[in-house]
């Protein structure tokens, strides 16, 4: 019946056209402006009509217009639309479309709570990476590696799988807000991100947007350095999928399969992904393995409502790399791992035959339900309800003499549920109102237990805790992430060392008012939140078996942002933004980490104060050239840090540092060019100056939580902030030398790098370094539409096998004896060298 209706429709259209006096025949070829290849199934529509067609396999089209002159709209998924005027019958020749840096073609569910920069007229410093580039360049890396060609972003790979770190404008991951489809995913207790817990996120990402600095987020979140929005697959418009096989250096292999039904006639859509990976790791004895799963169900009952259920997870385990001095790495090689044991008979033994000193095991499934409701033409409501259950452990080998006796598990589990909702109303033609709420309920479980018995059958816990009684540990929790998830140790009598829970509840409201008229736009934004904390102790208690609960702590926080932009002309735009955050301290900075673990630190940690200023200029010269220039100044003040050094002799000392202040400022320039139709060349430079300002105060506590000695002044004023390069630059480009056969390469340079270490000691200036990466891509099309294809990809990272110090955690000055130094750094400092040359290659069948 539907086919009959279509035939009748086209027949009527043709008859109408035949009797129309004024009409034209328009022909042309739609091309990929990036790779100079044809675009089959591109859409061509005559503006103001339903008259249109699609391109054939070669990207060409011919059709009769309804008027002798007018405008054609040419579009293709993943590319910016193009409008072309026509007059009389004409051959338009090659029409080049360029990849769209916005997210218009991505089906975003829960779009009101996913704070994308494109949703506001006033811009921010932003970079967007789309699915095609993620697919090409991600390979077997984590997300930070894909972002390293973004201004002021640096990735440190560290040791084992998923152990990398990312910095934005000199701030680490605890001060960068990470959002997954609008859901905050930084740790509620300490703000940290562990990429091993998210090893499958690259497989399901539709786009990743990096907002540097203040960003467009409306939540009161940890966006001191910036905000990273990860937008995953949800609803695909069309049916399709892929199967991909990847292999890489050090016996790495990964298999992934994905399929989506598209949206059917009743509005339903289903999609799913499964993957498995394993490998030996670049660093010796750091093998790992894991799985990825993703399942999505969408329902669109009508054009006003879109609902989606999503479930994704990435269970994994990997052996970790032990630290070592620079001298040890120079003697043993940069793959050196100081932390493993021989002659251990265990199921946890590595493929090399060694037993890992430590293994990370984790499984964190995340589920959410999203609802987008278009209330009317001026208002809409978006709501996301989410939950996650993290279960995992750090299994560390415990030795007695030369024997490994058992693997001790340091478990970090949690249940996390939340809701984010957002209402948007276009009050007038020029005024837009946006407000919503953010609620998070978090329960963390932390304890030590036995993961595996090796040369013993039981362990005696005789720490003196739990009423001073000794007791036997006879159960082992296992080292498999699926086992850890479904069989967590709920028996407090089988825990030792520490055993406590944390209840952290967060509730906030936010709002934004934006005015836009002609060439001017401005916005004002604010958020207020309350975060409560309760700590329950099970082990370090006066009476065995009787838990003790702390008093509840409530901390109020808020933020305000405002900004404006002015369009000077079609090619030139300027903007300025400012913001202030009063951010609650992390839970881990509130309580003493000792026998009196339920006792609040005194004085209590106060709210941190963040002030941000930024301005920018955007130039749009069309497909040939565009550029962004940003300047920023960020002050992070009134910071409290708390850490424990464990037992020192007969004492257990912990430290509270008050009044830490950092000032980060700099300038960023990125330029995007297309010198030739088949050549893209981009570059960036970021110049930063990141320093501590004023001095801080150090307080020391003993095992009973009592303050020891007098407060100490810590001299940090003028010291450089370490960890990431303050000056970076890069050039990357791609060239298509045959249809759908291209080569790309990127060069990144890092300068003004400083070590990390103890506060109060000046950091070391590390040697600068640069790396070169390259890749090859080929896409073979099948069928008349080109929808079915075979893609081949090869990535080679650090092509020239550059040897460089990636990080140094130490402050020992250079020795007067030159042989005791390495490029001006004392070899006794703890450090880690970056990876040498690595590669991965994949074949992907799209259908």
């Amino acid at each position: 019946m539907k086919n009959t209706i279509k035939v009748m429709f086209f027949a009527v259209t043709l008859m109408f056209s035949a009797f129309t006096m004024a009409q034209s025949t328009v022909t042309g070829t739609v091309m990929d402006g990036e790779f100079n290849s044809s675009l089959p199934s591109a859409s061509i529509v005559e503006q103001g009509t339903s008259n249109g067609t699609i391109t054939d396999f070669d990207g060409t089209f011919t059709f009769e217009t309804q008027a002798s002159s007018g405008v054609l709209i040419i579009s293709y998924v993943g590319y910016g639309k193009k409008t072309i005027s026509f007059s009389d019958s004409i051959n338009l020749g090659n029409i080049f479309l360029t990849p769209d840096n916005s997210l218009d073609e991505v089906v975003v569910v829960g779009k009101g709570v996913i704070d994308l920069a494109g949703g506001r007229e006033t811009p921010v410093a932003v970079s967007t990476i789309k699915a095609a580039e993620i697919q090409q360049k991600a390979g077997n890396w984590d997300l930070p590696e894909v972002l390293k060609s973004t201004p002021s972003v640096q990735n440190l790979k560290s040791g084992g799988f998923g152990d990398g770190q990312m910095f934005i404008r000199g701030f680490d991951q605890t001060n960068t807000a990470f959002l997954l489809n609008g859901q905050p995913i930084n740790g509620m207790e300490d703000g940290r991100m562990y990429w091993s817990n998210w090893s499958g996120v690259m497989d399901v990402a539709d786009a990743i947007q990096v907002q540097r600095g203040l960003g467009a987020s409306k939540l009161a979140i940890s966006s001191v350095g910036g905000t990273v929005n990860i937008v995953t697959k949800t609803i695909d418009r069309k049916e399709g999928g892929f199967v991909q096989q990847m292999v890489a250096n050090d016996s790495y292999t990964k298999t992934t399969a994905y399929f989506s039904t598209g949206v059917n006639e009743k509005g339903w859509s289903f999609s799913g992904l499964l993957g498995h990976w394993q490998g030996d790791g670049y660093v010796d004895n750091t093998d790992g393995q894991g799985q990825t799963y993703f399942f999505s169900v969408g329902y669109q009952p009508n054009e006003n409502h879109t609902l989606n259920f999503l479930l994704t997870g990435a269970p994994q385990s990997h052996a970790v790399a032990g630290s070592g001095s620079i001298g040890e790495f120079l003697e043993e090689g940069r793959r050196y791992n100081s932390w493993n044991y021989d002659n251990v008979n265990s199921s946890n033994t590595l493929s090399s035959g060694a037993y890992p000193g430590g293994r990370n095991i984790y499984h964190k499934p995340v589920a959410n339900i999203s609802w987008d409701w278009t209330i009317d033409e001026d208002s809409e409501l978006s709501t996301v309800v989410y939950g996650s259950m993290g279960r995992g452990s750090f299994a560390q080998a415990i030795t007695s003499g030369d024997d490994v006796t058992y693997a001790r598990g340091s478990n970090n589990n949690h249940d996390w549920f939340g809701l984010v909702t957002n209402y948007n109303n276009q009050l007038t033609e020029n005024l837009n109102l946006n407000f919503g709420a953010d609620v998070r309920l978090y329960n963390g479980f932390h304890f030590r237990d036995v993961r595996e018995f090796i040369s013993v059958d039981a362990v005696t816990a005789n720490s003196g805790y739990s009423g001073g009684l000794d007791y036997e540990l006879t159960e082992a929790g296992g080292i498999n992430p699926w086992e850890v998830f479904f069989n967590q140790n709920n028996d407090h009598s089988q825990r030792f060392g520490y055993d406590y829970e944390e209840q952290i509840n967060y509730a906030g409201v936010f709002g934004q008012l934006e005015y836009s008229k002609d060439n001017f736009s401005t916005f004002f934004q604010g958020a207020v939140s309350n975060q409560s904390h309760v700590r329950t102790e099970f082990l370090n208690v006066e009476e065995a078996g009787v838990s003790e609960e702390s008093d509840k702590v409530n901390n109020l926080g808020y933020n305000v942002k405002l900004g404006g932009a002015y369009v000077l002309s079609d090619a030139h735009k300027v903007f300025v933004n400012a913001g202030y955050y009063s951010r609650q301290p992390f839970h881990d900075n509130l309580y003493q980490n000792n026998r009196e673990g339920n006792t609040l630190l005194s004085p209590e940690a106060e709210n941190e104060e963040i002030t941000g200023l930024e301005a920018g200029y955007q130039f749009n010269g069309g497909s040939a050239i565009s550029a962004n220039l940003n300047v920023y100044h960020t002050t992070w003040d009134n910071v409290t840090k708390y850490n424990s050094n464990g037992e020192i002799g007969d004492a257990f000392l912990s430290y509270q540092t008050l009044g830490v202040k950092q000032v980060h400022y700099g300038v960023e320039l990125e330029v995007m060019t297309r010198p030739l139709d088949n050549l893209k060349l981009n570059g960036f430079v970021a110049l930063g100056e990141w320093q501590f300002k004023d001095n801080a105060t150090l307080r020391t506590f003993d095992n009973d939580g009592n303050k020891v000695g007098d407060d100490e002044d810590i001299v940090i004023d003028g010291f450089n902030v370490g960890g990431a390069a303050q000056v970076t630059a890069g050039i990357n480009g791609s060239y298509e030398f045959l249809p759908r056969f291209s080569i790309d390469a990127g060069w990144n340079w890092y300068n003004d790098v400083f070590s990390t270490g103890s506060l109060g000691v000046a950091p070391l200036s590390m040697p600068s370094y640069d790396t070169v990466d390259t890749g090859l891509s080929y896409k073979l099309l099948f069928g008349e539409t080109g929808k079915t294809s075979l893609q081949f990809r090869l990535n080679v990272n650090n092509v020239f096998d550059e040897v460089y110090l990636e990080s140094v955690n130490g402050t020992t000055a250079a020795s007067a004896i030159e042989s005791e130094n390495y490029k001006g750094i004392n070899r006794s400092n703890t450090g880690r060298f970056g990876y040498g040359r690595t590669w991965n290659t994949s074949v992907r069948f799209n259908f």
Side-chain angles (χ1 to χ4, degrees):
M1 182 63 181
K2 287 192 173 182
N3 289 333
T4 303
I5 293 174
K6 289 180 181 178
V7 171
M8 292 176 63
F9 173 78
F10 281 112
V12 171
T13 302
L14 290 173
M15 289 174 63
F16 178 80
S17 299
F19 285 101
T20 301
M21 295 297 294
Q23 57 179 266
S24 300
T25 301
V26 180
T27 61
T29 304
V30 181
M31 304 286 290
D32 181 333
E34 184 174 1
F35 296 114
N36 199 35
S37 58
S38 61
L39 292 176
S41 299
S43 173
I44 297 91
V45 176
E46 184 178 357
Q47 191 176 57
T49 75
S50 59
N51 184 32
T53 186
I54 61 172
T55 58
D56 61 16
F57 180 77
D58 297 319
T60 62
F61 67 91
T62 300
F63 85 110
E64 301 291 333
T65 64
Q66 293 182 4
S68 61
S69 62
V71 175
L72 296 183
I73 301 174
I74 297 96
S75 61
Y76 189 82
V77 173
Y79 294 75
K81 292 181 180 179
K82 199 164 198 175
T83 58
I84 296 180
S85 300
F86 68 90
S87 179
D88 299 324
S89 295
I90 187 174
N91 184 346
L92 298 174
N94 289 338
I95 303 166
F96 292 96
L97 301 184
T98 57
D100 188 357
N101 196 43
S102 73
L103 298 174
D104 292 340
E105 78 288 358
V106 176
V107 181
V108 180
V109 181
K111 58 187 176 182
V113 302
I114 302 178
D115 294 309
L116 300 174
R120 195 171 67 193
E121 292 292 332
T122 306
V124 296
V126 63
S127 299
T128 302
I129 300 173
K130 307 281 276 301
E133 184 176 353
I134 295 170
Q135 173 200 327
Q136 282 189 340
K137 297 185 178 180
N140 55 339
W141 299 112
D142 295 312
L143 181 145
E145 180 69 11
V146 181
L147 305 179
K148 69 180 182 182
S149 291
T150 303
S152 296
V153 174
Q154 186 176 357
N155 169 43
L156 304 183
K157 298 184 186 67
S158 191
F161 289 106
D163 289 339
Q165 293 287 314
M166 189 179 86
F167 293 81
I168 299 183
R169 290 180 175 174
F171 293 101
D172 66 14
Q173 295 178 159
T174 65
N175 293 300
T176 299
F178 293 91
L179 303 175
L180 180 71
N181 293 339
Q183 170 187 341
I185 57 176
N186 293 75
M188 285 284 289
E189 301 162 19
D190 52 18
R192 294 184 181 181
M193 278 291 295
Y194 298 95
W195 292 110
S196 57
N197 301 348
W198 302 96
S199 60
V201 72
M202 304 299 285
D203 296 322
V204 298
D206 254 346
I208 299 167
Q209 189 177 84
V210 182
Q211 302 170 11
R212 302 185 297 279
L214 294 171
S217 173
K218 295 177 284 293
L219 307 183
I221 50 181
S222 309
S223 51
V224 184
T227 303
V228 178
N229 288 286
I230 305 167
V231 182
T232 71
K233 299 177 182 294
T234 49
I235 296 174
D236 289 329
R237 291 190 178 99
K238 298 180 180 180
E239 178 183 358
F242 69 84
V243 177
Q244 177 172 295
Q245 179 62 50
M246 178 185 297
V247 294
N249 55 278
D250 300 295
S251 303
Y252 182 90
T253 180
K254 180 179 181 179
T255 305
T256 311
Y258 171 78
F259 177 71
S260 173
T261 64
V263 181
N264 66 21
E265 297 172 355
K266 295 183 178 181
W268 288 94
S269 61
F270 303 86
S271 59
L273 178 144
L274 292 174
H276 175 83
W277 66 268
Q278 62 186 51
D280 290 340
Y282 180 81
V283 177
D284 290 340
N285 301 315
T286 56
D287 66 359
Q289 63 83 32
Q291 295 81 42
T292 302
Y293 58 88
F294 166 86
F295 180 66
S296 175
V297 180
Y299 179 52
Q300 297 173 294
N302 53 55
E303 63 181 10
N304 294 327
H305 296 274
T306 301
L307 296 101
N308 192 83
F309 169 77
L310 180 149
L311 173 67
T312 186
Q316 64 80 39
S317 69
H318 70 276
V320 301
S323 60
S325 68
I326 296 172
E328 288 178 301
F329 280 103
L330 291 173
E331 294 171 4
E332 303 291 341
R334 53 185 155 178
R335 292 176 178 261
Y336 171 62
N337 186 352
S338 64
W339 205 17
N340 48 80
Y341 303 90
D342 296 323
N343 303 317
V344 178
N345 183 17
S346 164
S347 59
N348 192 23
T349 299
L350 300 163
S351 58
S352 64
Y355 186 86
R359 179 178 288 278
N360 177 286
I361 312 147
Y362 217 81
H363 185 187
K364 180 186 173 72
V366 176
N368 66 50
I369 299 175
S370 305
W371 174 35
D372 287 340
W373 176 23
T374 302
I375 302 171
D376 53 43
E377 62 180 9
D378 295 323
S379 60
E380 56 187 7
L381 177 69
S382 292
T383 303
V384 176
V385 179
Y386 62 86
S388 69
M389 298 175 64
R391 301 290 185 268
S393 181
F394 180 75
Q396 179 178 344
I398 302 300
T399 61
S400 176
D402 295 329
D403 296 328
V404 177
T405 56
Y406 70 101
R408 182 186 68 192
S410 299
N411 299 270
N412 297 295
N413 301 342
H414 73 254
D415 294 334
W416 184 351
F417 303 96
L419 175 147
V420 183
T421 185
N422 180 278
Y423 173 75
N424 187 77
N425 192 310
Q426 190 69 39
L427 299 175
T428 68
E429 180 182 354
N430 307 116
L431 193 62
N432 181 270
L433 173 65
N434 186 291
F435 63 86
D438 173 18
V439 177
R440 311 171 209 170
L441 308 176
Y442 178 92
N443 192 194
F445 315 88
H446 305 278
F447 57 91
R448 278 183 172 166
D449 66 357
V450 175
R451 290 286 104 193
E452 180 186 24
F453 292 108
I454 300 175
S455 61
V456 297
D457 297 324
V459 172
T460 300
N462 54 7
S463 62
Y465 296 158
S466 192
L469 301 176
D470 292 347
Y471 53 100
E472 293 291 307
L473 307 173
T474 58
E475 299 179 7
I479 57 172
N480 181 286
W482 291 96
E483 182 181 10
V484 168
F485 183 80
F486 289 106
N487 298 295
Q488 60 173 318
N489 183 356
N490 290 317
D491 186 353
H492 291 284
S493 68
Q494 290 297 302
R495 300 176 178 182
F496 73 107
Y498 56 82
D499 182 11
Y500 62 94
E501 292 185 10
E502 298 161 325
Q503 188 72 45
I504 306 173
N505 294 333
Y506 175 100
V509 293
F510 52 85
Q512 174 181 283
L513 194 64
E514 182 174 33
Y515 175 80
S516 177
K517 185 176 182 180
D518 298 329
N519 294 333
F520 174 73
S521 68
T522 184
F523 77 95
F524 175 79
Q525 185 185 108
V528 178
S529 62
N530 183 73
Q531 187 163 281
S532 66
H533 307 261
V534 174
R535 191 180 190 278
T536 302
E537 181 67 49
F538 293 96
L539 185 61
N540 306 340
V541 293
E542 293 184 4
E543 183 180 351
V546 179
S547 62
E548 296 177 359
E549 186 175 288
S550 72
D551 294 332
K552 178 182 287 188
V553 178
N554 287 284
N555 290 317
L556 189 69
Y558 64 91
N559 69 44
V560 291
K561 302 180 195 176
L562 69 160
Y566 190 79
V567 179
L568 302 173
S569 68
D570 290 342
H572 306 280
K573 188 173 188 176
V574 294
F575 68 89
V576 60
N577 297 319
Y580 176 82
Y581 287 70
S582 177
R583 187 178 76 172
Q584 299 100 324
F586 289 126
H587 181 95
D588 285 359
N589 290 328
L590 293 175
Y591 295 94
Q592 294 177 356
N593 186 16
N594 48 37
R595 292 191 188 187
E596 306 298 327
N598 277 4
T599 302
L600 283 167
L601 288 164
S602 180
E604 296 181 24
E606 299 177 349
N607 281 13
E608 300 169 2
E609 300 172 359
I610 300 109
T611 305
L613 301 170
E614 60 187 26
Y617 162 72
Q618 297 178 341
F619 170 72
N620 184 2
S623 60
I625 184 171
S626 60
N628 297 315
L629 177 67
N630 300 292
V631 295
Y632 66 91
H633 188 287
T634 304
T635 302
W636 183 33
D637 198 2
N638 203 36
V639 180
T640 299
K641 298 179 181 288
Y642 179 72
N643 68 287
S644 170
N645 277 1
E647 293 187 13
I648 302 176
D650 295 329
F652 185 101
L653 300 180
S654 56
Y655 304 91
Q656 181 189 44
T657 307
L658 305 172
V660 178
K661 179 179 181 179
Q662 294 177 207
V663 176
H664 296 222
Y665 59 89
V667 58
E668 302 159 342
L669 173 66
E670 56 181 338
V671 180
M672 290 70 68
T673 70
R674 192 178 305 278
L676 303 172
D677 289 340
N678 56 347
L679 174 63
K680 182 178 73 172
L681 193 62
N682 302 331
F684 75 90
V685 60
L687 309 175
E689 186 77 20
W690 312 328
Q691 291 186 342
F692 291 96
K693 294 297 180 183
D694 304 329
N695 294 328
T697 301
L698 179 70
R699 299 161 60 86
T700 305
F701 298 89
D702 63 18
N703 193 43
D704 295 317
N706 299 314
K707 182 172 168 292
V708 179
D710 296 328
D711 294 351
E712 299 179 46
D713 289 332
I714 304 298
V715 177
I716 57 175
D717 186 37
F719 288 177
N720 285 290
V721 175
Q726 301 194 15
V727 176
T728 59
I731 299 174
N732 61 84
S734 62
Y735 179 73
E736 185 184 45
F737 49 91
L738 290 173
R740 300 178 303 281
F741 196 175
S742 63
I743 184 171
D744 55 85
W747 169 78
N748 285 275
W749 176 63
Y750 306 93
N751 192 32
D752 282 358
V753 192
F754 297 91
S755 68
T756 57
S758 302
L759 284 175
V761 183
L764 306 174
S765 178
M766 295 168 51
S768 61
Y769 63 94
D770 65 291
T771 60
V772 174
D773 306 326
T774 189
L776 280 172
S777 293
Y778 178 63
K779 187 174 184 179
L780 180 63
L781 303 180
F782 299 97
E784 295 183 357
T785 65
K787 177 182 177 182
T788 303
S789 63
L790 200 61
Q791 289 179 260
F792 301 90
R793 176 68 184 180
L794 170 67
N795 290 304
V796 181
N797 286 47
N798 195 0
V799 174
F800 300 107
D801 205 24
E802 175 84 4
V803 177
Y804 61 94
L805 266 176
E806 188 177 57
S807 62
V808 172
N809 183 11
T811 52
T812 302
S815 171
I817 304 173
E818 190 58 34
S819 62
E820 296 180 355
N821 301 325
Y822 173 76
K823 294 186 177 181
I825 302 292
N826 195 308
R827 292 162 56 112
S828 66
N829 286 292
T830 299
R832 185 168 295 283
F833 285 81
Y835 284 10
R837 184 186 299 113
T838 59
W839 60 270
N840 62 75
T841 184
S842 63
V843 58
R844 178 180 178 123
F845 177 66
N846 301 298
F847 57 90

